[in-house]
């Protein structure tokens, strides 16, 4: 199992029932600059500058069913050490349930073990995503 305090190489969270516009508004609040790079269907690639670091971002609407949008910061230069740190901040800011994988995806980790963050509560759950 990976050490839960180790910085994750990227950050991916799943946001429930929030529009692309709401997610983009939150990203704009976080960043010094947010620019669209490419959109293909429900997948949006952006370039975001947070605390002087350029971070490629991908938003995939309806990534899991109709309710869940994936938000992937494709860098280890985010302000968050772990997916959970970002998920907790996103849940507060967007006032919705957010989920993220428990660990940093190392061999032997349980791919169905997730954090569910909602209304200030964080709990481990089993979430089958396939």
């Amino acid at each position: 199992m990976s050490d839960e305090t180790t910085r994750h190489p990227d950050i991916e969270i799943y946001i429930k029932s929030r529009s692309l516009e709401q997610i983009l508004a939150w990203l704009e609040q976080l960043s010094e600059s947010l620019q669209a790079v490419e959109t293909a269907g429900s997948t949006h690639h952006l370039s975001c500058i947070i605390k002087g670091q350029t971070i490629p971002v991908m938003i995939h609407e309806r990534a899991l069913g109709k309710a869940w949008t994936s938000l992937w910061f494709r860098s280890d230069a985010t302000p968050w050490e772990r997916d959970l740190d970002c998920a907790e901040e996103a849940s507060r800011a967007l006032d919705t349930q957010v989920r993220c994988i428990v660990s940093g995806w190392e061999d032997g980790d349980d791919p169905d073990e997730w954090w569910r963050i909602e209304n200030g509560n964080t709990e481990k759950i089993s979430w089958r995503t396939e």
Side-chain angles (χ1 to χ4, degrees), residues 39-51:
T39 294
S42 60
T43 303
H44 312 274
H45 296 271
L46 307 128
S47 179
C48 185
I49 298 175
I50 302 175
K51 297 185 179 178

Side-chain angles (χ1 to χ4, degrees), residues 12-15 58-63 68-72:
E12 185 175 20
I13 62 173
Y14 290 82
I15 302 166
M58 186 175 82
I59 299 172
H60 184 83
E61 297 177 90
R62 297 175 301 283
W68 297 97
T69 297
S70 166
L71 176 57
W72 182 21

Side-chain angles (χ1 to χ4, degrees), residues 37 41 57 72-73 78 85 91 98 102 108 112 127:
V37 174
V57 175
W72 182 21
F73 296 88
T78 69
D85 302 322
S91 180
V98 176
V102 166
D112 297 328
W127 189 30

Side-chain angles (χ1 to χ4, degrees), residues 2 9-10 31 36 47 49 56 71 73 76 81 90 93 102 104 108 117-118:
S2 67
D10 60 2
S31 61
S47 179
I49 298 175
L71 176 57
F73 296 88
D76 66 354
E81 294 283 322
V102 166
I117 302 94
E118 189 170 25

Side-chain angles (χ1 to χ4, degrees), residues 1-4 8 12 14 83-84 98-117 122-130:
M1 286 290 243
S2 67
D3 179 358
E4 290 184 15
H8 291 183
E12 185 175 20
Y14 290 82
D83 292 18
L84 179 59
V98 176
R99 294 183 181 184
C100 66
I101 194 76
V102 166
S103 62
W105 287 107
E106 293 189 10
D107 287 342
D109 289 346
D110 182 352
D112 297 328
E113 191 174 36
W114 292 76
W115 290 112
R116 176 173 62 199
I117 302 94
T122 300
E123 66 176 323
K124 279 186 185 177
I125 62 166
S126 180
W127 189 30
R128 298 203 183 280
T129 57
E130 293 183 22

